[in-house]
Amino acid sequence: MTVVVSFVRPKNIYSASGIGSVRVREILTVGGTATAGAEDGEMIVVGNGETSMIAAAFGTTPDAAALTKTTATSAGMPIPAGSQSYPIFPTAGDKINVKAVT
C-alpha cells in the first residue's frame, strides 16, 4: 500500500474554500519523505492507503516520529488507515515525511 501526498492551491468560490489545482502529487512508501517542497500559499493533503495508522510531519527536515515540534519538523500527526489528513498549511519549502505508528 502507499501514501499519496498532494501539494494543493486552495481556491475560494462563493465564500467556500476548495481545491484550485494540484501542483504536485507524490506516492510515498511508509518511512519516506516527499521530494517536492511546498510553495507559498499552498496546502498539503495526505491520503493514507495503508491498512494501519500512519503519522505525518512537515518541515524543512520532517520526522513523523517526532513527539514535539522543533525548528525543523512538526510533531507527527496521526492519519487513520484508509483516510486523509486535514489540510496542512506549511511554510514555503516544507516537505512531508510519513512513518508507521507503532
Side-chain angles (χ1 to χ4, degrees):
M1 303 300 287
T2 56
V3 176
V4 177
V5 176
S6 295
F7 293 80
V8 177
R9 284 237 177 249
K11 186 172 188 176
N12 290 317
I13 300 175
Y14 303 114
S15 300
S17 293
I19 293 173
S21 66
V22 177
R23 180 180 60 86
V24 175
R25 181 181 68 127
E26 290 192 36
I27 307 294
L28 301 180
T29 56
V30 174
T33 301
T35 58
E39 291 183 351
D40 190 39
E42 283 186 328
M43 64 183 183
I44 301 171
V45 178
V46 179
N48 180 6
E50 295 290 314
T51 58
S52 60
M53 183 180 290
I54 62 167
F58 59 97
T60 54
T61 311
D63 180 4
L67 301 177
T68 57
K69 180 183 181 298
T70 69
T71 57
T73 186
S74 69
M77 174 180 71
I79 303 170
S83 164
Q84 74 179 33
S85 69
Y86 289 103
I88 298 167
F89 293 94
T91 300
D94 282 358
K95 296 182 178 190
I96 289 283
N97 173 259
V98 296
K99 292 197 170 126
V101 174
T102 56

